[in-house]
Structure formats: structure tokens, C-alpha cells
Amino acid sequence: MCQDWRSPDGAIVHCTMDPPEAIHTQPAWVLLAYLIAGICFILALRGLSSPESSRRGNRAGMIGMAIAVMTTLVVHRPYAMLAMMRVGGPIRSLQLDILTLIEIGAAMLVGGGIGLVTARKIQMTAMPQLVAAFHSLVGMAAVLVGAAAYLNPEAFGIAVRVTPIYGPSIINIFPQSRIEMGLGVAIGAITFSGSVIAFLKLNGNMSGKPILLPLRHVINLATLAGILGLIAYFTMDQSPWVFFTVMGLSFAIGFLLIIPIGGADMPVVISMLNSYSGWAAAAMGFTLHNSAMIITGALVGSSGAILSYIMCRAMNRSFISVIAGGFGTDGAAAGGGEVIDRAFKRGSAEDAAFLMKQADQVIIVPGYGMAVSQAQHALKEMADKLKAEGVRVKYAIHPVAGRMPGHMNVLLAEANVPYDEVFELEDVNSEFAQTDVAFVIGANDVTNPAAKTDKSSPIYGMPVLDVEKARTVLFVKRSMGGVGYAGVDNELFYRDNTMMLLADAKKMVEEIVKALG
Amino acid sequence: MDFISILSIFVLACFVGYYVVWSVTPALHTPLMSVTNAISSVIVVGALIAAAAAGSASSKWLGLLAVALASVNIFGGFAVTARMLAMYKKRDR
């Protein structure tokens, strides 16, 4: 039970409750609770191996978060010191600080409310922006926690108070904690400013074109070296200027790293920032000796890294070249100045409807253009009409179609397309040869046969969908002028078996639906 | 916990993450990103400690702000993931 104790100035502290636990001497049940929270997070990711188990997984994640928050609130409940004058000297007592608890509750209520409303209102086509915005919040939270730990290290149990014979006492942060804190703040700051830029680019507030500063590689490397050097120096000198310079430089490099990256490389960027937000949480977990944070950080960090790898592989580009930036323009804004006039076949919605009605099998290839024109619902209607005519309909998704991993799958799911009609590149690519109609809507580079044949093409070696092997290719495109983000012309347009359907994707699909009767 | 036990947890969790994430179906990569986003807000633990601690007013306010930001992510992240996952349906035949 709780005992009275004597504060350093000699006053008796009358104990009504147990004093707060120090971080490094947490009781076993606390460690166990955080471990269980960590396991719940593993189950949340494990559930995503199939759509059926995924909803259960998501609930496991929520339970894990509730356990982590509750445990923290119980162990680190806020205390206030009440002082009373009694006969025989002042007596103080430690009491639960209700006001602070209310403030914490209010902060959670405000934040949670904003989160819930946003989650409910957001359009599925805007998911990439939303994810980028959420990443920036994790980054900022990591920076704030790091700063709070720096300003009040004793509360986090990462410092010792040294009282010299002369002069005031000094609070010394453990050198190991300084490194962990420095890294956590640096990664958090990079995640924040990088995600803000990614958000602005994805949301269209900022051009998707790469912004290339002169000498940017030199500037970036120097900044990075500066950050690491200062973190090392921080172990010897814990002055505020070191800490806050690390923070400032990290904000700057996050910004510098993302501005040269083009809009179409966003799937890699967004996965990479996902990874960073995980490493930031892990670094903070090291500082706080918290297993839930460390497990989560490792999970999220590896998840983002694997997604970046998958995206890079799907574009046949190295991670370094994506990060170095400068590649590609914004898919929607791209306009090749010197497109040579070549003969191509142009078709109408009626032609397309006729061709597809006659087919045994139609494979639909969606891309970012479908998302831009919100054509997914009309597309589903078209597929239903075709199925009623006895046509087999499948969807083929390239890993980098859209602006984030899995973007197309979510949009099709939103339009109620059953997920077992949607196939990944490697599972469906061999089927184009036995397919009557390939219906390409809003995709371009991921269908370009030049990736297989033309060694001089910038997209050479990138895995593509073999749509040209289908008997007929219907290619929905706004106009002949624009080229894909890679800025290369698509030889597919001029083939004998290709029919161009030049219109807005949604309008064209709606007209086809009408023509199907 | 000493540094080595923490490091062990971290390294083992990286391996778990590696194998678990590779088993995620590509169709669910977007929900994967939003749910990892939600769980990385476990950083709220640090924010709560800072907000509850006595001793430094500035540290407390930074903590409260971090609690609010992380809460946006926790509630928003899980809710948007649930909304997306509810849309994935099998063919009804």
C-alpha cells in the first residue's frame, strides 16, 4: 500500500494514492498489456490476407489500440500535489488531477471527431490524399512527443537529476535516450513535411511536375549529414539549439526530398512515407521502452518498405532513382508537344457496344484516368449489361495503376464489383491471347508494348499488361494529344486491332451502356 | 527492460512484419496503408505520458496537441479502413 513520504524540501507528502510508476520499473501486467496490444496489431495486418478475415483484423487493431491507451491512462494517470497547512508543518497530498484528465479527454474527443467525420465523408478517389494527410499527422505527433520528452525528460524516466554541491541541480538525459529521441524527432519531422508536400501534389494544390533545384543532391546529402552529425553531437551536449536544429533541418529535408518527385511516382513516395511513420513510432518506442510502439513501428516500417519495393518493381525502377526524382510529369497535365500525326482508328460508343456484345470474354483494364473521371460506377453498370448478354467480364489491375498501391481495387469495390472478378497482372496476363476485347480505360503506360520491345524507351523492362494480344483493343482516352506520365507515345494506339474511343471516360462508358440497351 | 531485450523485440517484430505483409493480398494494399496508419498512432502512448506529467507546462501542451493529432489518426484510420473493407464483396452466386 501507499506510504507517506518526504519531499526534498522536508515536507511530508501524505499519500492517498500510489505515486506514478517510473517508466523503467513498470510492473509486469503493464508490460504484458503492451505486448497484447502489439499482438493485436500483428493480427490486424494478418487479417488482410483475404477480404473475409480483414474485417476481423481491423477490429483486432481497434482492440489493441484501446488496450494501449487504457493501460497508459491507468499507469500514467495525472497527479496534482495538494498543499495544506497543518499544525506541525505543511502537509501535501497527491491526488488524481481531474482537470488534466478532462483536458486529455477533450483532446481525444476533438481529434477523434475530426477523424470520424473525415473518414465518413472522404471520397474513395481521394484516398491517396487522405493517407498522405494521415501520415503527416503521425509524423507531427512523433515530433511533438519528442519535444515534450526533451522538455520534461524526468516524466519519461529518461534522465537523472544531478545535484552538484554548488549551483542548481542539472537534469541529465541518458546519452542512449538522446540518440533515440533525436532519431525519432528527425524521422517524424521528415515524415511530416514530406507528407505535406505529397498531400499538396496529390490534392492538386501543387503541380505534380517535379521541381528541380540546382545542386539538389549536394544540398540533400549535406543536410542529411548535418542531421546525423548533430544527433551524434547531441549525446555530448544536450543544449536546446542542438535539439531544435536537428528538428528544423529534418523538416527542411522532408520538403526537399519530395518536391523533385513527379506525380506519377507517388505510389512509391506514399509507401515510403508510410514506412517512415513506422520507424518514427519505433524510435519513440525505444525512448519510452514501450513494446507496443516498437512492435507497431517495426510492422508499419516493414509494410511501407515492402510496398515501396513492390511499386518500384512494377515500374522497373530502382528505389534510388525514384528518390532522386525528376522523372515524369503529372499524368493528367502531360501534353507532348511534338506528337507525330499517325493514322489510327477511331470508334464510337455504338461500335464498342456492338463489339463487346459479340465477345465471349472482355477484360477491363482501369487506370488513373478512371479515378479522375469517377467512371467506376458506370463501368460496373456496363459490365452488368454485358454479363446479362452472356459475356464473361474480368478486370485486370496493374500494381502501379492509380496513385497508391491497391487504388483501383478500392474504387472497383466501391462500385460493388465482386473482388473475385478482379485479377492481378501475373494472374491474368496470359489470358489476353484468348480474349475478344480488352477494354482499356484511363490506363496508358501500363499497356504500352514498347516496354517489351523498345530498348530505347524510358519504360523498357517495366512489366505491362499484354492487351495487344486480345482480338480487339478498345482504348478510352480523352484525346490523342496527351501521352502517359512517362511522356512516351503508345504504339498501341496505331495498331490495326485497336479502336480509339476519344471522350471523357465516364461519358464514354455511359454512352456504351445506353447503346447496349 | 534493458536495451538488448527491446532490440530483440524490435528485430523479431521486423521479421514478423516482413512475412505478414507479404501475405497481404495486393487487392487490399490500400486498406493496408490506412490500417498501418491507424496503428502507428500508438505513438499516442507517448503523447498521453507527456500530457499527464506534471512539471513542465510546455511539455504538457505539446502532449495534449499530440494526443489530438494522434486521435484524428486513430479514429479516422480505423473508420476509413472499416468503410473500405465493408465494400469488398464476393460474387453473389
Side-chain angles (χ1 to χ4, degrees):
Chain A
M1 269 310 284
C2 168
Q3 283 183 333
D4 288 2
W5 44 286
R6 204 171 268 278
S7 76
D9 59 344
I12 294 166
V13 176
H14 177 61
C15 192
T16 48
M17 303 173 86
D18 287 317
E21 308 282 351
I23 282 190
H24 293 247
T25 54
Q26 283 170 344
W29 74 267
V30 176
L31 300 179
L32 209 62
Y34 285 131
L35 182 65
I36 293 171
I39 291 170
C40 286
F41 296 147
I42 295 176
L43 292 177
L45 298 200
R46 180 71 190 117
L48 291 171
S49 57
S50 86
E52 291 99 79
S53 57
S54 63
R55 291 173 267 263
R56 217 164 45 234
N58 198 37
R59 279 195 292 276
M62 295 183 203
I63 293 169
M65 190 60 77
I67 293 175
V69 169
M70 286 304 170
T71 309
T72 313
L73 278 176
V74 170
V75 181
H76 298 279
R77 52 196 183 280
Y79 280 90
M81 189 81 82
L82 285 187
M84 281 169 286
M85 288 309 289
R86 292 266 178 88
V87 185
I91 286 190
R92 297 179 196 160
S93 70
L94 220 48
Q95 304 239 311
L96 193 64
D97 181 359
I98 306 283
L99 182 67
T100 303
L101 265 187
I102 293 173
E103 284 167 348
I104 291 175
M108 293 184 100
L109 215 64
V110 171
I114 296 172
L116 283 178
V117 170
T118 317
R120 187 156 309 163
K121 287 207 170 148
I122 193 86
Q123 284 202 325
M124 282 301 141
T125 40
M127 275 314 290
Q129 294 93 297
L130 182 73
V131 168
F134 278 173
H135 284 155
S136 75
L137 296 183
V138 177
M140 197 45 167
V143 172
L144 293 175
V145 172
Y150 176 74
L151 295 173
N152 193 4
E154 281 181 302
F156 287 78
I158 53 169
V160 279
R161 190 184 277 269
V162 186
T163 314
I165 304 168
Y166 301 106
S169 61
I170 306 158
I171 300 167
N172 246 330
I173 306 174
F174 303 131
Q176 184 194 320
S177 302
R178 294 186 202 176
I179 296 185
E180 293 158 353
M181 219 160 69
L183 282 176
V185 165
I187 304 172
I190 294 174
T191 311
F192 173 76
S193 53
S195 300
V196 167
I197 301 297
F199 171 83
L200 293 176
K201 288 195 172 194
L202 288 164
N203 206 31
N205 305 98
M206 197 172 148
S207 159
K209 285 199 192 109
I211 297 166
L212 301 175
L213 298 177
L215 287 178
R216 64 202 154 88
H217 295 310
V218 179
I219 297 174
N220 289 353
L221 287 175
T223 315
L224 201 63
I227 292 169
L228 292 176
L230 277 175
I231 291 176
Y233 178 68
F234 190 45
T235 58
M236 291 175 283
D237 177 4
Q238 59 171 4
S239 339
W241 75 265
V242 186
F243 183 79
F244 290 105
T245 312
V246 167
M247 195 191 276
L249 285 178
S250 307
F251 277 127
I253 199 167
F255 173 79
L256 291 171
L257 274 176
I258 308 301
I259 53 165
I261 303 182
D265 276 342
M266 281 302 147
V268 180
V269 169
I270 206 166
S271 315
M272 183 185 83
L273 291 167
N274 186 239
S275 183
Y276 287 178
S277 69
W279 303 130
M284 282 300 151
F286 271 97
T287 316
L288 304 183
H289 290 223
N290 184 300
S291 56
M293 278 164 94
I294 290 172
I295 293 175
T296 316
L299 288 177
V300 178
S302 27
S303 163
I306 290 173
L307 288 176
S308 318
Y309 168 76
I310 295 176
M311 292 301 113
C312 286
R313 191 182 55 181
M315 294 194 291
N316 192 36
R317 301 190 52 212
S318 74
F319 187 68
I320 298 293
S321 80
V322 172
I323 296 309
F327 184 81
T329 56
D330 196 3
E338 31 186 331
V339 177
I340 318 140
D341 275 330
R342 283 170 71 180
F344 64 92
K345 261 193 266 179
R346 182 173 179 170
S348 67
E350 287 74 27
D351 301 332
F354 177 78
L355 275 167
M356 285 196 281
K357 226 191 243 183
Q358 307 297 316
D360 283 331
Q361 173 158 298
V362 171
I363 298 184
I364 298 171
V365 180
Y368 184 57
M370 179 190 82
V372 172
S373 77
Q374 301 265 21
Q376 65 269 32
H377 299 281
L379 198 61
K380 156 82 163 119
E381 207 183 326
M382 182 186 95
D384 284 344
K385 285 257 161 81
L386 288 173
K387 275 192 262 179
E389 300 275 344
V391 182
R392 249 176 304 133
V393 180
K394 287 181 178 177
Y395 298 81
I397 312 261
H398 192 280
V400 290
R403 282 292 184 263
M404 74 186 291
H407 194 184
M408 291 297 121
N409 303 76
V410 171
L411 294 183
L412 292 177
E414 187 199 11
N416 279 322
V417 172
Y419 61 81
D420 42 4
E421 287 177 11
V422 183
F423 295 89
E424 302 302 315
L425 173 106
E426 54 266 40
D427 300 325
V428 77
N429 224 6
S430 59
E431 283 199 35
F432 281 105
Q434 292 94 46
T435 299
D436 304 287
V437 177
F439 188 82
V440 183
I441 174 164
N444 188 349
D445 292 329
V446 298
T447 64
N448 195 338
K452 289 178 280 190
T453 51
D454 181 4
K455 282 198 175 148
S456 64
S457 170
I459 59 167
Y460 179 73
M462 168 172 156
V464 288
L465 289 156
D466 298 332
V467 290
E468 78 281 2
K469 290 191 180 150
R471 193 166 306 147
T472 311
V473 180
L474 296 175
F475 207 110
V476 184
K477 202 171 180 307
R478 191 179 285 275
S479 70
M480 284 309 281
V483 287
Y485 73 76
V488 282
D489 203 6
N490 195 340
E491 194 229 335
L492 194 62
F493 305 157
Y494 316 106
R495 283 182 163 243
D496 285 341
N497 63 341
T498 304
M499 184 188 276
M500 300 301 294
L501 304 170
L502 299 179
D504 172 73
K506 190 178 174 187
K507 274 204 195 99
M508 175 53 75
V509 176
E510 280 168 352
E511 277 173 41
I512 295 175
V513 170
K514 233 181 272 166
L516 282 170
Chain B
M1 280 194 287
D2 56 9
F3 179 73
I4 291 301
S5 354
I6 291 179
L7 187 68
S8 317
I9 295 177
F10 177 70
V11 173
L12 292 176
C14 283
F15 277 95
V16 171
Y18 180 85
Y19 289 107
V20 167
V21 172
W22 272 116
S23 76
V24 172
T25 165
L28 294 176
H29 275 163
T30 298
L32 171 68
M33 297 200 90
S34 64
V35 85
T36 49
N37 216 299
I39 65 174
S40 56
S41 314
V42 73
I43 200 143
V44 74
V45 167
L48 287 170
I49 296 175
S56 161
S58 45
S59 167
K60 179 185 165 175
W61 286 108
L62 291 178
L64 281 175
L65 185 56
V67 169
L69 294 185
S71 301
V72 174
N73 240 320
I74 293 173
F75 287 90
F78 282 123
V80 85
T81 310
R83 197 180 134 201
M84 275 192 274
L85 292 176
M87 300 187 312
Y88 283 82
K89 290 185 199 86
K90 248 194 172 141
R91 213 175 332 202
D92 30 60
R93 247 180 265 154

